[in-house]
Amino acid sequence: MIPSVRLSPAPAAFAGSNLRSKSALVPSISSLKPSKYVVSSLRPLYLAPLGGPRTAELKSQRQPLEFRCAASAADDKESKAEVVPVPSEGTQRLKISIYFATWWALNVIFNIYNKKVLNAFPYPWLTSTLSLACGSAMMLFSWATRLVEAPKTDLDFWKVLFPVAVAHTIGHVAATVSMSKVAVSFTHIIKSAEPAFSVLVSRFLLGETFPVPVYLSLLPIIGGCALAAVTELNFNMVGFMGAMISNLAFVFRNIFSKKGMKGKSVSGMNYYACLSIMSLVILTPFAIAMEGPQMWAAGWQKALAEVGPNVIWWVAAQSVFYHLYNQVSYMSLDQISPLTFSIGNTMKRISVIVSSIIIFHTPVRPVNALGAAIAILGTFLYSQAKA
């Protein structure tokens, strides 16, 4: 047990009614007798006032400085410095692998249930609104119960977030409209052309230039998407345009995010939660204007009659999994580089396309599959060229 060290003047220093000076109250360091013992501790020391029989006597006078220096530990064990473990490379790789696997699995599940809902209840504006509302409610509950620490935001944060939310809302609704008209696989083949939109927008609107390999990687992306679109058995212009508008909107969302979120200390989970809340506020009046409660009520009765109570589970599942997969993707951005994220996004599209073809028995021609493969290969080459 480390003994307490009491620094106080000798009793004689307080004798009499007159004090010489303030310095007489505290002995100088030079007046302290050296000790052959050295007390050392790596734990923090705490200063606490001492009480004693002279306390009441000294209240009317200027009290001397008395301190107690003591270790915070209450045992006789040797104090040790706290060591912060540094994750190894293998641990970091395992963590990234878990992020990717979770991200892909949640995205596949969302696309499956989303397509089931749209087949039975073809109202993409309401479906998009419900997915945002579910995610917003989940995060508000997490903040209220302190399961997740609420972000510290201000008015400037929400002003910067507004254009990001507008682009996110447009991209989300456009993708849902596309999937309500065409196969999930076709929507994601067209959405694999997003890098081409990113380069073109950055080049002509922002004046950015890229290396030649980046421009060359756009050729297989554009060519593969065109080949897949031409050979699509269930081609629909509304579905095709929805996927194209979604690509453009998400490119602007990324641009606004990079420009506006610099210096903001909001985690990926909370950032996407705030984005969902603002997107919900933006989308709700447009969803009511485009479809409306009367159409929703009629469509819901028809869905219940044809599918049964399962449609309720489908709506709940697509709403929950939409928020979860986006949340995990934003959380992964805190752990990996943009290049790794881009490669992961490419592999995610492959998993969605293949799984949707298997589950929904989507007819695919060999030339259609070739176009999809070329487009995805071009996306991968784009990721390598941007590195």
Side-chain angles (χ1 to χ4, degrees):
M1 185 74 179
I2 300 176
S4 300
V5 180
R6 180 187 179 101
L7 301 181
S8 61
F14 299 95
S17 57
N18 297 326
L19 298 176
R20 295 181 181 178
S21 63
K22 297 179 180 180
S23 62
L25 298 177
V26 183
S28 63
I29 296 177
S30 60
S31 65
L32 297 176
K33 294 182 179 181
S35 174
K36 62 181 180 178
Y37 299 101
V38 177
V39 179
S40 176
S41 175
L42 296 179
R43 295 182 178 271
L45 299 181
Y46 297 86
L47 303 180
L50 289 176
R54 295 180 179 271
T55 303
E57 177 185 349
L58 297 176
K59 280 185 178 179
S60 60
Q61 304 177 10
R62 186 181 297 274
Q63 295 184 1
L65 297 176
E66 295 182 280
F67 300 94
R68 181 189 301 275
C69 300
S72 61
D75 51 32
D76 296 330
K77 295 180 181 180
E78 182 181 359
S79 300
K80 296 182 180 180
E82 183 180 359
V83 178
V84 179
V86 178
S88 63
E89 184 178 353
T91 303
Q92 187 67 15
R93 287 182 178 179
L94 177 62
K95 188 175 183 180
I96 294 174
S97 300
I98 293 174
Y99 268 120
F100 274 12
T102 307
W103 178 19
W104 297 343
L106 293 173
N107 188 261
V108 169
I109 296 172
F110 158 72
N111 279 279
I112 291 172
Y113 280 109
N114 191 47
K115 185 60 177 177
K116 284 178 174 290
V117 170
L118 292 173
N119 286 339
F121 185 74
Y123 296 94
W125 288 83
L126 177 59
T127 304
S128 302
T129 306
L130 291 176
S131 59
L132 292 174
C134 179
S136 300
M138 291 169 61
M139 290 308 300
L140 289 173
F141 176 80
S142 299
W143 293 338
T145 56
R146 298 187 182 277
L147 293 175
V148 177
E149 184 179 357
K152 297 179 181 179
T153 61
D154 52 19
L155 183 59
D156 291 336
F157 171 83
W158 293 101
K159 286 181 179 179
V160 170
L161 187 65
F162 179 75
V164 183
V166 171
H168 178 73
T169 303
I170 296 173
H172 175 41
V173 173
T176 308
V177 169
S178 175
M179 281 189 281
S180 68
K181 299 297 183 180
V182 296
V184 176
S185 58
F186 179 71
T187 298
H188 279 271
I189 291 172
I190 302 303
K191 283 179 66 64
S192 64
E194 185 177 326
F197 284 81
S198 179
V199 171
L200 295 176
V201 169
S202 299
R203 176 66 182 88
F204 294 105
L205 295 184
L206 303 180
E208 296 183 11
T209 58
F210 300 93
V212 175
V214 172
Y215 293 108
L216 294 177
S217 67
L218 301 183
L219 297 178
I221 295 176
I222 298 174
C225 289
L227 182 61
V230 171
T231 58
E232 175 64 27
L233 294 175
N234 300 315
F235 180 84
N236 180 279
M237 182 57 68
V238 175
F240 175 76
M241 292 304 300
M244 298 290 280
I245 293 173
S246 177
N247 283 336
L248 187 62
F250 284 139
V251 166
F252 278 104
R253 182 192 65 176
N254 297 337
I255 292 174
F256 292 145
S257 297
K258 291 178 183 178
K259 285 192 170 186
M261 295 309 298
K262 290 181 179 178
K264 298 294 182 180
S265 57
V266 178
S267 65
M269 177 188 295
N270 284 333
Y271 174 67
Y272 181 71
C274 295
L275 183 63
S276 294
I277 294 172
M278 180 164 279
S279 295
L280 175 63
V281 173
I282 296 171
L283 177 58
T284 301
F286 288 96
I288 295 175
M290 292 296 296
E291 295 173 347
Q294 293 183 351
M295 295 179 63
W296 296 337
W300 187 251
Q301 293 298 327
K302 183 180 179 181
L304 286 175
E306 294 180 355
V307 179
N310 284 337
V311 71
I312 301 175
W313 159 248
W314 294 351
V315 171
Q318 75 89 22
S319 301
V320 171
F321 284 110
Y322 173 80
H323 176 77
L324 291 179
Y325 103 76
N326 276 286
Q327 188 178 81
V328 172
S329 69
Y330 272 84
M331 290 170 62
S332 65
L333 281 174
D334 293 337
Q335 305 291 330
I336 61 179
S337 66
L339 173 62
T340 305
F341 182 83
S342 181
I343 295 174
N345 197 39
T346 304
M347 302 304 294
K348 177 204 74 175
R349 299 223 182 273
I350 297 176
S351 61
V352 172
I353 292 171
V354 173
S355 61
S356 64
I357 290 175
I358 295 174
I359 292 174
F360 294 107
H361 305 286
T362 306
V364 179
R365 295 177 179 178
V367 66
N368 185 261
L370 177 62
I374 293 174
I376 293 173
L377 176 61
T379 305
F380 178 78
L381 295 177
Y382 167 83
S383 301
Q384 297 297 316
K386 283 291 293 292

